[in-house]
Structures are given as C-alpha cells and as structure tokens.
Amino acid sequence: MNGTKQQNDIVLSIKDLTVHYEVDGEVVEAVNNLSLDLREGKVLGLVGETGAGKTTTALSILNLIPFPPGKIKSGEILLNGKNILAMNIAELERVRGKDVAMIFQDPMTSLNPVLTVVDQVMESILIHETSSKVEARERAIQMLETVGIAAERADEYPHQFSGGMKQRVVIAIALACNSRLLLADEPTTALDVTIQAQVLDLMLKLKEQFNTSMIFITHDLGVVAQVCDEVAVMYAGRIVERGTLEDVFNHTKHPYTEGLFNSLPSIEDRTARLRPIPGLMPDPTQLPLGCTFAPRCSYATEACINTRQTEIGFSESHFALCSRYAEKNFVIDRKEID
Amino acid sequence: MEQPILDVRNLRKYFKTPRGLLHAVDDISFTIDHGKTLGIVGESGCGKSTTGRCILRLIEPTTGEIWFDGENVAQMKTRQLRAKRLDMQIIFQDPFSSLNPRNTVMQTIAEGVRVQKIHSTETEIQKRVLELMDIVGLAERLYNSYPHELDGGRRQRIGIARALAVNPKLIVCDEPVSALDVSIQAQILNLLKDLQEEMGLTYVFITHNLGVVNHISDEVLVMYLGQNVEQAHTEEIFRNPKHPYTQSLFSAIPVAKVGANKERIIIKGEVSSPINPPAGCRFAPRCQHRMPICTQQDPVSTEVTSGHFVACHLYS
C-alpha cells in the first residue's frame, strides 16, 4: 500500500485529544492526549474498564460532550478531513446522523417511548435525505427489515419490543443514512449471549454490505476478538496499547493489557487461579505523576512512577505506552502466540 | 455415601399475572454435596434467580421440597425458618442497590453478627466485624465509610462479609460479579474460592457468564424458561454439551482469542413467553433439530452418561 492511498482511506483521525470535566473546582482528566486513526471499512475496538474514558472519546467525535462540566481542552478530530471540533451548530447537525452515527449501550433508554419505531428511524432520513414523508417511511421500513424487524411491526412502540429487538431498532436508526462511520458504545452489553450473537452477526453483515467503519467500545475482550480488526486499550484516559487484533492479543506488550487477559477465567485450564490486577484505577482528579498504571504494575520502576511514559513502537502498527521497553531485554510474562 | 447438603425436588414457582400463570420455575430438581459449587446458568428470565430465592424462601415456592441439612425448608414455620436462615445466606448482584445507603460498613456487617446472638457486648461485636472485614479484604480504615464512598468491588466485599457474619453453610451467589469490571471480578472470584476452601462453604452460583461458571463450579445446571434442560459435571458439560440449547449457548460465548470465534450456532428468534406455556419442549420453537414429538410431549430428563442429565427428545 503506498502512502497516498493510506492517507485517502482514513475516515477518522483524532489528534492529541484532551477532554476534562470540571466539577466543584476539581478537574477530572477523562481523556488525555489521545490520538488514533481509523481506515475505511475497519472496526477499531476501544477497550477498557469503567472510567477509562471510552465513552467520552466517542461523545467527543460527535462533539456531544456536555458543557459544562465537560470541556475539550485541546486536539483535533478530523472526520473525512474536516475538523468536527471547529464546526458550528448548523454544520454539526449536517454531520451527526449522516456522516457519523452512534449506537448507545442501553436500548431500553435510548429510544423515545412515545414514538413508534418507524417514526424514530424516519427522523434522520427526513433531516438528511428527503423531505417526502412517504419516501422516508418506505426507506425506514426497508431499514427495519434489513435489521430483521418485520414491516408489520414498524408502527409499534419500543415497549412492545424485547431488548434484542430494541437494539436492532437502534442499529436501524444509526444505519438509516448510510453513515461512513459508526460509533457503537457497548451495543451488546445489555443483551443475553444468544441475542448478543445475533446482533453482532447482524452488525458484521451490515458493515460488509455498506463498507462502514466502526469504533466498537466494549470491555469484553471476547467480543473484540470476534468483531474488531484493530484494538486500542484505554487506561485512565490514555491509550496504553494499540495495534491490529493480532498485535494486541497475540503479541501483548503493555502490562495493563496483560492484566486484563490474566483476569479472565481460562477456558482450557478452568481451575487455574485468576491473576487479577491488584488495586484500583487511579482517581481521575489526581492522576499519578508518572505512568498512570505504575501504582498497580508489577514491572514498575522508580522511573515509571516519576516520569511520564512515551509511546514505543514495535512495528508499523503496534504501539504501547510503556517506558520499560526502552530497556533492551524487557519482556512481560504473557507468552506470545504465533 | 454422604447426604447432599441441599436436595431440591420438583420445585415450582408460578406467579399470577393478568394474562395467566407465569411459570417462572417449572419442576426443577437438583442436589449439591457439602463444600461444592453448583452453577446455574441461563439467560434473563429463565428463572435462575427465582430458584435461588426460593431455596431461602425469600420467595415462597408454589410446590416442591427443599431439603437442607436433612430438613425440609419448604415446610418450615416462620420461627424455624428464621433460625435455619443463619445457615443459608445470599449475595446479590448489584452491590449498589443491595446495601442500605444510610448504614456504614460497620453497621451493615454488624447486623448479622447481632442476629446470631453469639457476641453480646459492643466490643465483641466490633471485634467480630473487624475480623470479617479482614477476611474479605476490606481495610480497617473503611470501618465507618458509607456504601456511596466505595467502588463496586469493595461494596461486593461488604455483601460477602454480611453473608459470612452468621457463619453460614450455604451461600446463594446471585450474579455476584456481573456488575464488576474484569480485573475486579477476578479479585472477587478468587476471594469466593478462598473462602470456600477455608470454611467449607457450599455455593449455589447463579450467573449468565459462562466463563465464570466454568471457572467456579463443580457441577452445572442449564435452565431455559423455568426448566432444567441439562445438568452435568462442569468439565463434561463444557466438553460435551448435549442439549441443542446448551450447544448454541456455549457456542455463542465470545472467546478472547484471535480466530477462536469461527463456528457459531446462532439460534433464531427469542425466548417465548413463560405465561401458560404450551405442552412440549420449551425450546422447540427455536430448535434446529425440532421433531413432531417435541411440540406434543414434554421431554423427560434422562441420564445419558453417568451424572449427565439431558431433557431432550433427541436422547430419550
């Protein structure tokens, strides 16, 4: 692949994004100096635990950070080459739902209970695509059928649907205008596994069909392995490791990523004792001076505690935020998988 | 052979609803040996939590016998039951709503200690609370903290300490780690395993997380719409699932490994209504192996290999 080609198929490029929430004189450092690129048709998994800054990152891409208390302190978010953070309201409204759409975690609360599902799918079509109600309705029903909801049910209300069906409606809304970029924030976390399997299957099929790029936010490494091409692991507002699925899962570099894998019960060796990460995520109002993971890291040195980490590259695609790799022979315990 | 500590026979719980009888638990039977863990798995609404609560009679079973330590809990009078509950405790899923927000850590844990009436003076009670906090890994400085000041993992530790306060023999763990992040989940699972080993506890472990159930259980019972579809030793059931529902359920677990998620049995449709269910197998409407008999006759649980029970017409 040559350089210009690579430049052109970048759908989303986040550069040095920092988002803070200021509450009662305290500053919550939710996202810090985050950079990432997403290429056309790729699914990037944004992984991390509660409070890592995943949802804040996604909301920033829609410029939906509530202000106050939230504030985007610095950075650029280029969507198809245009900076979302520099847009005015009118420009943003043209982009939201059209160029970038979002699927929220909880289908129970993200639908309007007093509108029928077809009306909710029509909404963005009417805003972005056509002024004809008849045409919009037709397209909305088509979209509902694409996600597996029969046309007869289009005029029903959300409470008449089960959780899995509601999430299909939410997906239909997000896909209604063929967005090039889809942000999926824990789209299957509230669902049972067999329904999760159905929804993931559907999302992957639709992604193929429309060549959509996706940021898939989840804390479930199993789901990541199933749907993502690339992975970015977040911890305390920073991306601590990023790379292709194979890079991160088979050639894990960051001690935090290793800790996540060690915390999962193993299917092969079911009685093996779990090795949880000791301690808790740092208070985001008082992030440690040096590496934010250092207080919980078994590999941390004096230097890790006192100085900020720099990102180290292992290949063209694989990076980790861990200074220990500046040492020649440093390796973590997790074995590489070929 | 040693008698099982818990022997549940033909447990049923029906709820009256305006649209008819809701069969939440429909003829569940199982036994657990002393010091073992039975994992109950299934998806939302399959009746696993109702089963757990019926064992402690937090919900009154409609019919059935619950033999615990040689006595039938289902037949007990209130006073007898209250005494028996010291031997059986429960840990709830949501550590955010299962603790009284106005009670400190000390007050919450002390409640159980007081009920037990072994420790009479305040100093003794305090000593016991501190001991319990130490057992579950809560720092002494949190003694006077309120639940809202603590994270989910610590709150769940309070829930565990509260359950341990009366020295129970059996603990029903109702999705105890589902609300927690993986790194914290692993801490709590290790704690539960250690406690079991040290105190000889017996667990009924209710969860929808199959990785967790595989890790913690000796025996697994799979429920679907109020019924027991399959039961076997953990290794056996994961290696050799028989029931079409179990097979698709297990194949739907996403595995955190590159290339591990290729073959998947995706079941169509959704769980049917538990209200006045029709005759026949409950899973039949979604089953890819459906035969005419499946919608006519209830499948009977049969032992296909030693200790492996399946309720499916394919095996009878």
Side-chain angles (χ1 to χ4, degrees):
Chain A
M1 198 185 284
N2 63 46
T4 36
K5 170 98 176 62
Q6 223 168 349
Q7 279 300 308
N8 287 341
D9 69 358
I10 287 182
V11 175
L12 177 77
S13 176
I14 301 181
K15 289 178 182 148
D16 201 32
L17 178 71
T18 299
V19 186
H20 290 174
Y21 295 99
E22 290 168 13
V23 195
D24 299 335
E26 283 187 324
V27 179
V28 175
E29 299 179 36
V31 174
N32 304 295
N33 313 99
L34 181 139
S35 299
L36 58 84
D37 287 328
L38 179 65
R39 283 182 294 130
E40 176 145 41
K42 294 285 178 195
V43 182
L44 170 76
L46 202 54
V47 188
E49 299 181 278
T50 318
K54 311 184 293 291
T55 301
T56 298
T57 305
L59 291 176
S60 305
I61 298 170
L62 291 159
N63 204 346
L64 275 177
I65 296 291
F67 169 77
K71 199 156 184 218
I72 295 176
K73 302 291 273 191
S74 73
E76 267 186 349
I77 297 176
L78 301 174
L79 178 70
N80 304 325
K82 281 173 279 181
N83 186 4
I84 290 192
L85 301 181
M87 288 180 185
N88 61 32
I89 294 282
E91 287 171 311
L92 279 173
E93 279 177 358
R94 277 198 292 278
V95 169
R96 290 179 188 150
K98 172 72 183 150
D99 295 330
V100 52
M102 184 147 177
I103 300 172
F104 293 93
Q105 172 171 5
D106 189 354
M108 320 299 158
T109 55
S110 54
L111 291 172
N112 186 334
V114 299
L115 291 181
T116 62
V117 299
V118 71
D119 279 341
Q120 302 190 48
V121 182
M122 277 167 67
E123 198 181 346
S124 61
I125 301 175
L126 283 171
I127 292 170
H128 297 295
E129 312 261 284
T130 170
S131 54
S132 152
K133 278 206 166 175
V134 182
E135 196 195 325
R137 186 181 156 85
E138 216 166 88
R139 285 190 45 189
I141 288 177
Q142 246 174 35
M143 200 29 96
L144 284 170
E145 283 180 324
T146 312
V147 299
I149 293 172
E152 304 92 79
R153 300 202 64 185
D155 290 305
E156 290 184 13
Y157 291 88
H159 76 267
Q160 292 167 288
F161 288 81
S162 65
M165 294 297 265
K166 275 188 212 157
Q167 196 58 296
R168 285 165 193 265
V169 175
V170 174
I171 292 171
I173 294 172
L175 294 172
C177 295
N178 300 336
S179 303
R180 280 183 78 197
L181 173 63
L182 201 57
L183 309 175
D185 188 1
E186 307 254 11
T188 57
T189 306
L191 307 175
D192 277 319
V193 279
T194 61
I195 306 299
Q196 166 172 287
Q198 291 175 1
V199 171
L200 291 179
D201 195 45
L202 170 74
M203 289 180 72
L204 285 178
K205 271 189 196 140
L206 296 173
K207 186 211 99 177
E208 291 300 318
Q209 195 179 333
F210 299 111
N211 200 25
T212 322
S213 313
M214 218 186 318
I215 292 189
F216 199 104
I217 296 175
T218 181
H219 64 270
D220 187 333
L221 292 168
V223 172
V224 173
Q226 201 182 332
V227 300
C228 299
D229 306 301
E230 283 153 36
V231 183
V233 182
M234 282 190 85
Y235 183 78
R238 287 189 166 76
I239 291 180
V240 294
E241 180 162 4
R242 63 194 169 94
T244 64
L245 183 66
E246 283 77 14
D247 287 340
V248 176
F249 276 56
N250 293 351
H251 311 284
T252 310
K253 294 293 182 200
H254 200 279
Y256 174 66
T257 317
E258 178 188 40
L260 285 180
F261 281 113
N262 285 346
S263 300
L264 294 175
S266 151
I267 296 285
E268 287 93 38
D269 188 2
R270 65 179 200 88
T271 50
R273 192 171 168 82
L274 304 177
R275 286 168 293 159
I277 305 169
L280 301 168
M281 191 144 17
D283 180 346
T285 63
Q286 289 162 6
L287 289 182
L289 198 67
C291 170
T292 48
F293 187 61
R296 303 174 71 185
C297 180
S298 57
Y299 308 100
T301 62
E302 199 66 30
C304 296
I305 293 163
N306 297 319
T307 46
R308 271 273 181 260
Q309 311 300 290
T310 42
E311 196 170 65
I312 292 188
F314 301 93
S315 69
E316 230 169 80
S317 58
H318 194 187
F319 301 86
L321 198 63
C322 176
S323 302
R324 290 290 317 260
Y325 285 100
E327 298 162 33
K328 230 184 191 150
N329 297 319
F330 179 70
V331 283
I332 55 172
D333 295 335
R334 182 174 158 86
K335 289 197 177 64
E336 303 227 349
I337 304 163
D338 292 316
Chain B
M1 220 169 92
E2 200 194 356
Q3 252 203 339
I5 185 165
L6 183 71
D7 183 352
V8 173
R9 296 180 196 164
N10 309 100
L11 181 72
R12 284 189 171 85
K13 175 66 195 176
Y14 297 167
F15 292 100
K16 281 196 187 103
T17 71
R19 287 185 293 152
L21 267 191
L22 187 151
H23 296 226
V25 178
D26 213 353
D27 200 6
I28 291 282
S29 302
F30 58 85
T31 61
I32 313 175
D33 288 331
H34 191 86
K36 298 287 183 192
T37 301
L38 172 79
I40 302 185
V41 293
E43 301 180 271
S44 348
C46 73
K48 51 192 193 304
S49 288
T50 308
T51 305
R53 280 162 207 219
C54 280
I55 296 170
L56 276 79
R57 275 181 65 193
L58 294 174
I59 294 176
E60 287 297 331
T62 307
T63 60
E65 294 166 30
I66 300 155
W67 293 89
F68 175 69
D69 238 4
E71 288 175 274
N72 186 359
V73 176
Q75 293 296 329
M76 282 183 183
K77 300 265 185 301
T78 317
R79 187 176 300 168
Q80 240 183 324
L81 177 66
R82 203 168 285 160
K84 203 72 191 167
R85 283 219 187 107
L86 295 180
D87 288 337
M88 38 205 310
Q89 286 289 306
I90 185 164
I91 302 169
F92 295 99
Q93 169 172 10
D94 186 355
F96 299 87
S97 63
S98 59
L99 297 174
N100 185 336
R102 296 173 56 159
N103 280 354
T104 62
V105 173
M106 150 69 187
Q107 287 164 332
T108 302
I109 302 173
E111 214 169 357
V113 179
R114 284 183 222 280
V115 168
Q116 208 192 11
K117 295 199 177 95
I118 291 177
H119 307 274
S120 48
T121 68
E122 273 311 297
T123 350
E124 268 176 31
I125 291 172
Q126 282 183 12
K127 213 180 125 207
R128 174 72 178 144
V129 170
L130 285 172
E131 191 184 301
L132 286 161
M133 286 176 68
D134 183 50
I135 291 172
V136 299
L138 281 168
E140 204 179 310
R141 67 187 155 81
L142 304 173
Y143 189 76
N144 285 317
S145 304
Y146 287 92
H148 76 266
E149 300 173 288
L150 305 174
D151 62 279
R154 289 213 179 96
R155 282 186 233 198
Q156 200 53 290
R157 287 178 196 269
I158 302 175
I160 296 171
R162 174 173 65 179
L164 293 176
V166 297
N167 292 323
K169 294 176 183 160
L170 173 87
I171 299 181
V172 173
C173 307
D174 189 359
E175 304 262 15
V177 295
S178 307
L180 308 175
D181 274 320
V182 280
S183 68
I184 308 300
Q185 173 179 310
Q187 294 176 4
I188 298 293
L189 287 175
N190 278 348
L191 172 65
L192 287 170
K193 274 206 147 177
D194 292 344
L195 292 173
Q196 178 166 47
E197 221 158 87
E198 285 158 27
M199 304 180 179
L201 295 168
T202 306
Y203 293 141
V204 174
F205 202 98
I206 298 165
T207 181
H208 67 274
N209 185 326
L210 296 157
V212 169
V213 96
N214 182 28
H215 178 71
I216 203 152
S217 314
D218 298 295
E219 182 106 354
V220 176
L221 186 156
V222 182
M223 284 182 76
Y224 187 79
L225 267 176
Q227 296 186 327
N228 176 358
V229 297
E230 186 161 0
Q231 187 180 351
H233 284 295
T234 310
E235 264 161 50
E236 164 70 9
I237 203 167
F238 274 88
R239 198 165 3 125
N240 201 3
K242 299 270 187 207
H243 197 284
Y245 175 66
T246 316
Q247 287 171 352
S248 49
L249 182 70
F250 286 3
S251 86
I253 324 169
V255 180
K257 223 179 192 182
V258 179
N261 301 292
K262 296 293 177 236
E263 272 174 57
R264 198 170 289 282
I265 311 164
I266 292 191
I267 35 176
K268 305 243 157 45
E270 306 198 3
V271 180
S272 38
S273 166
I275 296 172
N276 299 331
C281 172
R282 302 266 158 98
F283 185 62
R286 304 171 76 187
C287 185
Q288 53 176 351
H289 303 291
R290 188 176 56 224
M291 304 175 288
I293 190 179
C294 299
T295 46
Q296 292 154 6
Q297 215 177 309
D298 285 359
V300 184
S301 189
T302 28
E303 192 167 6
V304 283
T305 55
S306 170
H308 193 155
F309 295 86
V310 187
C312 174
H313 286 299
L314 286 176
Y315 300 95
S316 55

